[in-house]
Amino acid sequence: MAICLGVGAVWYICVYFQLNRIDVAALSPANLFSKTANIKLMMISGEVFFIVCLVIFFTLLSQSFWSYNQTGFWAMVATILFAIVYGIVYMWPQYVKLFRDLNSIKA
């Protein structure tokens, strides 16, 4: 897990430096859209990497909980389900709105 977090941290640092190099005032709208699309692709690939690492981590953790502490296992399952429902109901519409605002180029 520490290796995955380290790789993710380096990835997000690279994305931050690329985002920091974008000069919004000097770029044409098409060029700005191309650069932001590239950064969005990098962010999505970083998030997919984190999701894969979390799936591996929780697979190993759930096996351990099931063997040694079944109450802890069910508490973990309930917490994960709550987090998924909360993310879909509350957070997802906010992310969709932010991406739409980012993609709308107003002259």
Side-chain angles (χ1 to χ4, degrees), residues 53-66 76:
C53 291
L54 284 174
V55 166
I56 292 169
F57 173 72
F58 278 112
T59 301
L60 297 173
L61 183 68
S62 65
Q63 290 174 356
S64 174
F65 268 163
W66 184 257
M76 180 183 69

Side-chain angles (χ1 to χ4, degrees), residues 85-98:
V85 169
Y86 177 77
I88 291 172
V89 171
Y90 182 71
M91 298 301 288
W92 186 258
Q94 291 181 357
Y95 284 134
V96 169
K97 183 183 178 303
L98 286 174

